[in-house]
Amino acid sequence: MPDWEFYIAPYVWGLGIDGDISHPPFRFEADTSFSDLWSDLNWGGMGTLEAKKGRFGFLLDGLYVDLTDDIILKNLPLPFPVDIDINNKSSTALVVGKYRAVDDSRVFSRYSLDTATGL
């Protein structure tokens, strides 16, 4: 039986926000670039871990980001501006089980087919 093989891959993912936030009768436009979000970033991390042994394996993928911002809303129907502190901590995770259904190793070509299921 072959030994376990492990692969670790940290990565970077960039984003921006463009849309509307509304609660009648109020509506606000949200337009934030990647550089604005980068300056609001407290901490973040992303990465993938894959392990396999023979035809079986699993994959774990995760993302965590912690953002804070402070905005002042002046266009409300109030006689004073409203100061809002925004704290956003978001995370995602993916867990996948894998099975190599086809593994054809030849001298000049190699192909394989993995099946996977996950949460």
Side-chain angles (χ1 to χ4, degrees), residues 80-103:
F80 51 86
V82 176
D83 187 8
I84 298 177
D85 293 324
I86 300 170
N87 297 307
N88 181 335
K89 294 180 182 179
S90 301
S91 60
T92 63
L94 173 69
V95 179
V96 175
K98 297 172 47 175
Y99 176 73
R100 177 146 294 169
V102 177
D103 191 2

Side-chain angles (χ1 to χ4, degrees), residues 19-52:
D20 294 321
I21 301 169
S22 65
H23 187 317
F26 305 110
R27 183 175 180 207
F28 303 98
E29 194 174 297
D31 185 12
T32 305
S33 68
F34 172 75
S35 61
D36 290 339
L37 290 173
W38 182 261
S39 66
D40 298 335
L41 179 67
N42 296 323
W43 193 87
M46 303 167 209
T48 300
L49 167 68
E50 182 178 1
K52 62 182 181 176

